[in-house]
Structure formats: structure tokens, C-alpha cells
């Protein structure tokens, strides 16, 4: 006998609390197959296609396109044939979990999280009505600020729409300011709305919301230092021209960014502190012997920093291919959560916009970010004479808790030396 199964929106990665429904790919009355994509949703980290955990007929859609859906909330109802009526209540709370978890785990941030993700759907249903009993809801920056302030979030009165502790709640708790009685009248006189202004208001959500929180956390947590160096990269551009004509790069699009990335990877071998992170909880500096190279990418959905896993193991040809694939995927909106996780150091290429330099903000959890500016033909002193040369500016922002000024300076100078004399790529490799 047919029964109706309610699919609850799962956690799509690293404890995210909600997702925006972009597009329904099915409608009421449609027949869907197991694993068929039913909707496009956007989390704070990526846009993903959501597969159906059931085969059957769609009988209800619980959200409209553009709406924000909380994790654990009903998402879609599907009538499944052949399930006994007496078992109808059970599949919606227990049985579907192991069935749909293998489908959705591909959208998680790491393969090793499979075990945790498999157990997650059942607790979501059971615990959602009383989340404060175990772990108060709060965004990662708020939890971090609470740890630094020695505050147990269970002691903070939440005011968020979902019962979560907000930054304002935490600051109010720290200052011991009394919470205003909602019954009391607003002390300030409300101003009349200003009319006649040509404005557009956009909801802060998805990637933009996540980026904003991450940048604020980074800017006010890591003590930033930025250094600059101007480099004659004429030899690098000459090498690039030769590589483009080489048979080894016939099918590969190689760009100046690929050579800058390779120079950075080589420089890290003698400057490992730039590839580290600060573990506040354990009061440790974690130096990583692998390099997951992040590339800041401007996409239609906002700033994203996908990374190339184990970039330190790649030769120049493979690195160039990976860069093209990474940026193309990001611009097409197909970057998955796993591509955004576990970065160790980042490059931002502002030169593509014609900008000479910048003071980039660190990607949270990383020690450094290299800014690559525009390459311009300029008069330059060369071998005792003034000549027209290819000049660029590199800037390096680093976390001064992890990197001393000498270390940061040597790292930046090493990259500059490699780009001005590319034969160093062979000598230092």
C-alpha cells in the first residue's frame, strides 16, 4: 500500500543550519526516481543539487523558490509505492536516514565525515524542538568569540529567530547589560521613512553572508601585516611565451598565475611558517606539510576561495590544468563544499581587473595570502640603462601571531627572486 515519505532538509556540510531554495526541478504530480535531482539549493558555502532519497510521486513541496529552509525541516513529500501502511510512521524518522545519507554525503566537505553524517538525520528530528538542551545554536564566529571570552553559550539568552545566540546577545552578556523588556515602548522616536531615494536592498544570505562573517572574523582575530614588493617579471613573461609554444603545453592553457603559484609553492619549502594555522583551543601552532592552494575567485554568487588539494605535489603542467579547472568550475557555480574546505594558503589575482596591488584579508584559518597585481610595461633600470620592462607588484598579508616580519619578508622576496629569474624554479625544486 502506498505511503507518503517526508524528506527533511539534511545538513549539507559542516553544521550549516539552513539553505536557500534556488529552483525546484520537480513539481507536484511528477514521478521521480531514486537519486534523481529534485532541487537546486544554496548554502553559505556552495550551490548543490539535492537528490531524492525515494522513488515515487511528488505530492507536496514544502517551500517556495527563494525561501530559506532550516535543516531538519520538511522539504518534500513523496508517495512511495509498496510500503506497508503499518510501517508508515517509521520510515520518515528512522529508515530513510541510512538510505539517503550515502546519496548526500558526496556534497559533504570531507569523505571522513561519512560516519557522522549517517547518524545526523535521526537526531535532527528528535532534538530540533529542544536544541538548547545539548548545544546552543550559534554561528561559528559567535562560538569563537565566546571561547575567547570564556563564556558558556548555555548561559547566554538567545534572541535569534531560530533560537540561536547572536553576536549582540553575546556582547550584551559580556557587558552584563539588561535585556530590554519587549513590552516596554521603544525609547527612541521613530523617524519617518525617507522617500525619493533611488535605492535597492538585497538580502544578506548564502555566500555573501558567509563571506562577510568570515572576513569580519579574520580581520578582528588575526593581526594582519601586509608587505609589498615591485618585481621585474620580464624573464617570467619570456618563459611563459616559450612554454606556450612548447609541445608539452599544447593542450594546456598556461597563464602568469600558474607561474606565480608555482613560485609560491617552491618558496614555501624554505618558509614553512607561511603554511600554518593557529589552534586557539589547544594553544598550538599547526605547521602543515601539505599545501591546499586557495585561489580567490569572483563568481556570480560572490567571492569564493576553492583550493587545489596537495598542490605541492603537482608539476607546472598539472598545476596549470588544475587552475583552469578550478576557476572555470567556480565561475559556472559548480564549486562543491569539499572544494572550499581545508585550504592552507591563498592567492588573489587582482591584476585581471587592472589593479596594481592591494592589502588582502586572510582567509580564516590560514597564515598568509599573496596578492598578484597587474603586469605593466614600464620604464625600468636594467643593466645600467633605462629599458621598457614587464613590471608587477606583489603584496603579502600574513598573521603576525604565526609569521615574524623576517619570515614574511624572506618568503615574499623568494617569490620575487623566482619570478625575476625563473631558472630558480629548477634550482630550488
Amino acid at each position: 500500500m502506498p505511503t507518503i515519505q517526508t524528506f527533511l532538509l539534511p545538513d549539507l556540510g559542516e553544521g550549516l543550519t539552513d539553505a536557500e531554495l534556488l529552483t525546484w526541478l520537480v513539481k507536484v504530480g511528477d514521478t521521480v526516481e531514486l537519486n534523481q535531482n529534485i532541487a537546486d539549493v544554496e548554502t553559505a558555502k556552495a550551490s548543490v543539487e539535492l537528490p531524492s532519497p525515494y522513488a515515487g510521486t511528488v505530492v507536496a513541496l514544502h517551500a517556495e523558490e527563494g525561501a530559506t529552509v532550516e535543516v531538519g525541516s520538511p522539504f518534500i513529500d513523496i508517495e512511495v509505492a509498496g510500503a506497508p501502511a503499518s510501517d508508515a510512521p517509521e520510515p520518515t524518522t528512522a529508515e530513510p536516514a541510512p538510505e539517503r545519507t550515502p546519496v548526500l554525503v558526496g556534497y559533504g566537505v570531507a569523505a571522513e565525515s561519512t560516519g557522522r553524517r549517517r547518524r545526523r538525520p535521526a537526531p535532527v528530528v528528535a532534538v530540533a524542538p529542544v536544541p538548547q538542551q545539548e548545544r546552543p545554536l550559534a554561528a561559528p564566529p559567535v562560538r569563537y568569540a565566546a571561547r575567547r571570552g570564556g563564556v558558556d553559550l548555555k548561559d547566554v539568552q538567545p534572541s535569534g529567530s531560530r533560537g540561536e545566540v547572536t553576536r549582540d546577545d553575546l556582547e550584551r552578556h559580556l557587558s552584563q547589560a539588561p535585556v530590554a523588556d519587549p513590552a516596554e515602548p521603544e525609547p527612541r522616536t521613530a523617524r519617518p521613512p525617507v522617500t525619493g531615494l533611488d535605492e535597492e536592498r538585497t538580502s544578506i544570505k548564502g555566500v555573501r553572508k558567509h563571506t562577510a562573517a568570515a572576513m569580519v572574523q579574520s580581520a578582528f582575530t588575526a593581526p594582519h601585516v601586509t608587505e609589498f614588493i615591485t618585481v621585474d617579471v620580464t624573464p617570467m613573461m619570456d618563459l611563459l611565451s616559450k612554454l606556450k609554444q612548447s609541445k608539452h603545453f599544447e593542450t594546456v592553457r598556461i597563464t602568469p598565475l600558474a607561474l606565480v603559484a608555482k613560485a609560491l609553492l617552491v618558496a614555501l619549502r624554505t618558509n614553512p611558517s607561511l603554511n600554518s594555522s593557529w589552534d586557539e583551543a589547544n594553544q598550538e601552532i599547526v605547521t602543515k606539510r601539505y599545501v591546499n592552494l586557495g585561489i580567490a575567485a569572483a563568481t556570480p554568487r560572490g567571492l569564493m576561495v576553492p583550493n587545489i588539494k596537495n598542490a605541492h605535489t603537482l608539476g607546472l603542467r598539472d598545476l596549470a590544468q588544475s587552475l583552469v579547472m578550478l576557476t572555470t568550475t567556480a565561475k559556472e557555480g559548480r564549486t562543491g563544499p569539499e572544494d572550499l574546505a581545508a585550504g592552507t594558503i591563498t592567492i588573489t589575482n587582482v591584476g585581471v581587473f587592472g589593479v596594481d596591488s592591494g592589502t588582502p584579508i586572510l582567509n580564516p584559518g590560514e597564515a598568509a595570502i599573496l596578492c598578484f597585481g597587474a603586469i605593466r610595461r614600464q620604464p625600468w633600470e636594467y643593466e645600467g640603462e633605462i629599458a621598457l620592462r614587464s613590471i608587477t607588484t606583489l603584496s603579502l598579508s600574513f598573521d603576525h601571531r604565526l609569521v615574524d616580519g623576517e619570515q614574511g619578508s624572506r618568503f615574499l622576496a623568494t617569490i620575487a627572486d623566482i619570478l625575476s629569474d625563473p631558472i630558480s624554479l629548477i634550482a630550488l625544486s
Side-chain angles (χ1 to χ4, degrees):
M1 180 178 179
T3 185
I4 295 178
Q5 301 283 11
T6 299
F7 177 37
L8 307 180
L9 182 68
D11 180 355
L12 298 172
E14 287 193 336
L16 298 174
T17 58
D18 55 41
E20 180 185 356
L21 172 59
L22 299 178
T23 308
W24 281 113
L25 303 179
V26 296
K27 62 182 182 297
V28 173
D30 284 357
T31 299
V32 296
E33 300 177 357
L34 180 67
N35 296 337
Q36 177 182 334
N37 291 328
I38 56 175
D40 289 331
V41 297
E42 181 180 77
T43 70
K45 296 190 175 183
S47 176
V48 298
E49 293 180 330
L50 202 60
S52 172
Y54 309 112
T57 303
V58 177
V59 295
L61 306 178
H62 289 286
E64 297 181 358
E65 294 180 355
T68 298
V69 184
E70 296 182 14
V71 169
S73 298
F75 191 68
I76 188 173
D77 288 349
I78 298 176
E79 184 179 71
V80 180
S86 59
D87 295 337
E90 284 297 318
T92 58
T93 58
E95 291 181 13
E99 181 179 348
R100 64 175 177 261
T101 300
V103 175
L104 298 174
V105 76
Y107 299 112
V109 295
E112 56 267 29
S113 63
T114 303
R116 294 192 302 271
R117 207 172 296 275
R118 184 168 294 142
R119 295 191 300 268
R120 187 170 286 153
V124 164
V125 178
V127 181
V130 285
Q132 291 291 328
Q133 291 182 359
E134 292 191 1
R135 192 186 188 206
L137 290 176
V142 177
R143 293 189 186 280
Y144 181 81
R147 287 198 303 270
R148 288 181 61 86
V151 175
D152 186 342
L153 287 177
K154 293 180 180 179
D155 298 331
V156 181
Q157 180 65 37
S159 66
S161 60
R162 299 187 302 273
E164 75 273 18
V165 176
T166 67
R167 185 176 292 274
D168 288 342
D169 296 333
L170 180 61
E171 292 176 353
R172 186 184 300 115
H173 180 84
L174 290 171
S175 63
Q176 297 182 344
V179 179
D181 186 351
E184 295 180 2
E186 177 65 37
R188 291 183 295 178
T189 303
R191 292 179 296 176
V194 179
T195 59
L197 297 180
D198 186 6
E199 298 179 337
E200 178 183 354
R201 291 179 175 265
T202 304
S203 298
I204 303 173
K205 55 187 177 181
V207 172
R208 173 61 60 191
K209 184 176 182 179
H210 174 72
T211 300
M215 293 299 97
V216 169
Q217 176 191 353
S218 177
F220 291 96
T221 300
H224 284 55
V225 174
T226 305
E227 296 183 341
F228 302 82
I229 190 167
T230 303
V231 192
D232 179 0
V233 292
T234 306
M236 181 192 80
M237 298 306 291
D238 292 342
L239 173 62
L240 186 66
S241 297
K242 293 178 181 178
L243 291 174
K244 289 180 177 179
Q245 297 172 8
S246 170
K247 64 179 182 180
H248 301 292
F249 288 85
E250 286 179 347
T251 60
V252 179
R253 178 170 172 256
I254 186 165
T255 65
L257 179 60
L259 294 177
V260 172
K262 188 61 179 177
L264 177 145
L265 293 169
V266 171
L268 279 177
R269 297 176 184 176
T270 53
N271 300 273
S273 64
L274 279 294
N275 195 52
S276 62
S277 62
W278 183 274
D279 187 339
E280 180 69 23
N282 295 312
Q283 287 295 290
E284 294 175 340
I285 294 175
V286 183
T287 303
K288 294 155 186 177
R289 295 189 174 90
Y290 58 92
V291 183
N292 293 340
L293 179 61
I295 303 295
T299 75
R301 299 172 54 235
L303 174 67
M304 304 184 78
V305 190
N307 60 77
I308 301 172
K309 300 294 191 289
N310 296 311
H312 62 293
T313 65
L314 302 178
L316 182 58
R317 188 178 186 279
D318 291 336
L319 181 62
Q321 283 183 318
S322 297
L323 284 170
V324 171
M325 291 176 58
L326 179 143
T327 53
T328 300
T329 300
K331 290 177 180 178
E332 293 177 353
R334 296 186 291 108
T335 301
E338 67 279 2
D339 299 319
L340 302 170
T344 63
I345 190 169
T346 296
I347 297 177
T348 177
N349 183 10
V350 299
V352 295
F353 305 111
V355 175
D356 293 325
S357 186
T359 54
I361 296 177
L362 294 169
N363 204 26
E366 298 179 10
I369 178 172
L370 180 71
C371 180
F372 177 28
I375 300 174
R376 303 187 187 279
R377 296 290 287 175
Q378 297 179 9
W380 192 260
E381 190 277 327
Y382 177 68
E383 296 183 349
E385 297 181 357
I386 299 299
L388 198 61
R389 307 285 287 177
S390 296
I391 308 299
T392 191
T393 298
L394 303 173
S395 57
L396 178 74
S397 290
F398 56 86
D399 186 340
H400 218 335
R401 298 173 303 175
L402 295 161
V403 182
D404 294 334
E406 178 187 4
Q407 296 169 320
S409 299
R410 288 185 183 278
F411 178 68
L412 186 58
T414 300
I415 295 174
D417 288 343
I418 294 172
L419 298 180
S420 62
D421 183 18
I423 197 170
S424 302
L425 285 174
I426 299 175
L428 298 176
S429 295

